[in-house]
Amino acid sequence: MAPFDDRSRRSAPSRRDLGHGFLRLWLVNVFVGCLIGSLWFFDAPPDRAPWIRAWSALGLVSSVALLALVPGALFAAIARWVPGTRRRWRLACWMSALVGATFLVVLYTDTIVYRLLRYHFFDSAVLNVALTEGSGDAIVLRAYVWTTAIVVLGALTLAELACAVFFTRRVQALRARGDRAHLLLRPRTVLLAGFLPTLAFSQSVGTAVDAARNREARRAVQPLPIAPSVPMARVLDPLLEAEPVPALDLLPEDARLAWPAAAPSLPPGAERHSVCLVVLDSWRRDMRDAELTPRIAAFARDGARDFIDHVSGGNGTRHGLFSMLYGLHGSYWFPVLEARRSPVLIDALQEAGYDVRVFSSASMSFPELRPTAWSRVRENAILDAFPPGLVSWQKDELVADAFEAWMELRRMKGDARPYFAFVLLDAPHQPYDNPGGPYAPAIEDLDYIELGRTTEGPELSALQVRVRNAYRNSVHHADATTGRILDAVSEFSDPERTITIVTGDHGEEFFECGFWGHTSSFSPEQIEVPFLLRGPGIEPGVEERPTSHLDVSCTLLELLGVDPALRPEYSLGASLLDPPVGRARVAAGWSEVGLLTPSGIFVAPLTAPRLDGPSLALECFDRRWRPLPDVAQRCQDESTALEGLARDCARFLVVDSSR
């Protein structure tokens, strides 16, 4: 018999019946949600202590139950306001079924996001993607993903509907016989004997774990969206004999930008070299050779300087490009965005009469480069809009067309002004669109669901090969497009008066360290990029000293005549022409900063307005992104580098106490 049988003569359940029935539905959703949420622990070490396993399980229950308060509140509202007639009861069951199904789909989506990137669907970074114009160029979901989501949502809705009807009719039948609901299924019992004790116990253990500085236990619950942890260690530090791990406050609350201390400008009479900066999105360092990137390899041989130990200033486009154009750590992103401050590099070039142009196959609205890096660039000098339906490699070709046409137009007009051209090619970015290439087998469409659920064994190895080959084919096509850009520079510009850079904004990982893509860690695969520099005053050859995107803007300005003594007033970088031998380099993510040192990669959470609240203790990882022991001792060993990071992140900030 169908759930709603018009032949049934039973009356509609009362509000009380519906409330008790929906409580049981809520408990079912919490139970199923815990089964789904167990996927957060997909990479948990098998040798965890039994008490850590038990605490993680309780933390999972309390975390899912807290998240389930949202559908629970909707269940309660539906039970209170919708019923009255049999038709409205049906509507109430359908509404509750859709709410419950949506909750479970969102929860499963979060486990996929976490397994791919190690942050949650509910994080501010994901909200930034969802709410920022132009993010569709960065996150491309194929029809398969949407179709799967709709099918799963429909099936879950029908299952939830059957449960809602059964539970409400069951409670109604019990009431009709004069039986009261089972003691364990009464709302007060569930709240007082189940939910609150579980939450209180998991939080109490979390407090003890933090006070004892048990890193193994803290990492065990780190996958949870609402982790049972109360930061008591810093409160109890004076009472502890153990050496504490320092907490760095890299972006104090109410901090505002005070940058630059002195603005650079190109001196009158200095040589006005043109600049062409070509960036391949997601291009990692080991994806450059004569076979994969023949055009770029030829450029490297033809008088370029090859920086073989170069890192991006971030694990994503936002901070990679920001560090390159501003010469600042990514911790300055939020103050710069709030101030709508353009880079001093662009300011100096425009004041010197440069023709500044931006060619990008990805939107310059996401990340928010229009109100920051390009805030003083004319809108008609930014090309990033294309006909709908085109994929990234097709947009790359249109970018090359536009660049060639612009260069030819300059020659036809006799435009003798120097230029600054920024070119971003997007094909190597997920989902690795390409017209085909020499590398096989390769995926045709990137399936994020498959990536999220394939974490070990031969299936993972085969998937890595297919995904990496699709990426290589995309890089191969981007290399050909880059060749067109370089040819246009050689044909329409004087090579002796043009500085050319070819690099990547960040790297890309294929689960070598447990991640897919980027923005999730500071592993070498995600931050190490190729970097080639050619032009007047630049000696060809190989540069083995460590360099960074942080060095780009000050190097360009100094090649154009700015006094190097002015560098500390506007940049945190070093000269690419004379980089220091021993240096700790910095890369930033959305809510944390990584410090690369000989002792390991330190990760300091970024304290930013409306983000993470109080600063937390440091973590330290090796190059395979495995947690390292003895963090306090490592902090002592690298105290100079850590102090320098804290000092640099505060150099161009002032705290506005009036806010």
Side-chain angles (χ1 to χ4, degrees), residues 112-157:
I112 293 291
V113 172
Y114 182 80
R115 283 181 286 169
L116 290 174
L117 302 172
R118 296 304 195 281
Y119 50 76
H120 288 285
F121 189 71
F122 318 103
D123 286 355
S124 56
V126 179
L127 293 177
N128 177 258
V129 173
L131 301 177
T132 304
E133 178 187 356
S135 60
D137 288 345
I139 306 296
V140 180
L141 300 179
R142 302 299 195 196
Y144 168 79
V145 175
W146 294 111
T147 301
T148 302
I150 292 171
V151 170
V152 172
L153 180 63
L156 284 175
T157 300

Side-chain angles (χ1 to χ4, degrees), residues 129 134-140 281 317 362-363 366-367 426 429-431 448 518:
V129 173
S135 60
D137 288 345
I139 306 296
V140 180
D281 205 319
T317 298
S363 173
F366 180 85
D426 198 41
H429 191 282
Q430 292 178 359
Y448 290 99
H518 51 274

Side-chain angles (χ1 to χ4, degrees), residues 20-28 167 170-171 174 181-182 185:
H20 280 267
F22 284 178
L23 173 64
R24 300 183 183 197
L25 181 64
W26 183 80
L27 291 173
V28 169
F167 289 142
R170 175 68 176 169
V171 171
L174 290 173
H182 193 283
L185 295 178

Side-chain angles (χ1 to χ4, degrees), residues 243 282 371-372 422 437 524:
E243 185 68 29
S282 308
T372 53
F422 174 88

Side-chain angles (χ1 to χ4, degrees), residues 275-481:
V275 178
C276 182
L277 176 54
V278 183
V279 179
L280 279 64
D281 205 319
S282 308
W283 187 30
R284 58 188 252 180
R285 186 193 295 170
D286 61 350
M287 293 293 177
R288 198 208 93 196
D289 57 48
E291 177 186 341
L292 176 61
T293 55
R295 295 302 311 275
I296 296 174
F299 173 79
R301 293 191 300 267
D302 187 21
R305 190 157 188 80
D306 188 354
F307 295 77
I308 62 173
D309 187 10
H310 190 89
V311 299
S312 172
N315 58 15
T317 298
R318 183 189 314 271
H319 296 106
L321 296 184
F322 177 81
S323 60
M324 190 188 310
L325 295 169
Y326 282 85
L328 299 175
H329 297 327
S331 60
Y332 285 91
W333 166 261
F334 290 102
V336 166
L337 178 60
E338 183 180 9
R340 299 297 196 262
R341 183 66 171 86
S342 62
V344 295
L345 169 65
I346 303 301
D347 292 347
L349 295 178
Q350 289 188 315
E351 290 167 4
Y354 273 67
D355 183 9
V356 177
R357 300 280 174 152
V358 177
F359 302 87
S360 174
S361 48
S363 173
M364 290 289 96
S365 297
F366 180 85
E368 301 90 331
L369 294 172
R370 263 190 170 81
T372 53
W374 316 129
S375 58
R376 292 188 59 188
V377 179
R378 294 179 292 109
E379 183 62 29
N380 62 3
I382 303 175
L383 185 145
D384 65 343
F386 303 91
L390 298 180
V391 295
S392 56
W393 67 267
Q394 294 170 320
K395 296 178 184 178
D396 285 355
E397 292 188 344
L398 293 180
V399 162
D401 291 342
F403 183 84
E404 291 168 339
W406 171 66
M407 294 290 284
E408 186 172 7
L409 181 62
R410 280 175 50 90
R411 184 172 68 174
M412 291 175 58
K413 289 184 174 181
D415 192 344
R417 291 178 299 165
Y419 65 82
F420 174 88
F422 174 88
V423 182
L424 176 64
L425 303 178
D426 198 41
H429 191 282
Q430 292 178 359
Y432 316 130
D433 286 315
N434 61 81
Y439 300 96
I443 58 167
E444 295 183 4
D445 288 316
L446 189 64
D447 183 350
Y448 290 99
I449 298 176
E450 183 182 14
L451 295 185
R453 70 188 181 203
T454 308
T455 57
E456 59 184 359
E459 295 84 2
L460 173 62
S461 298
L463 181 61
Q464 286 176 303
V465 170
R466 292 188 292 117
V467 173
R468 189 182 291 111
N469 281 340
Y471 170 80
R472 284 174 172 161
N473 288 332
S474 299
V475 171
H476 189 68
H477 185 271
D479 171 76
T481 309

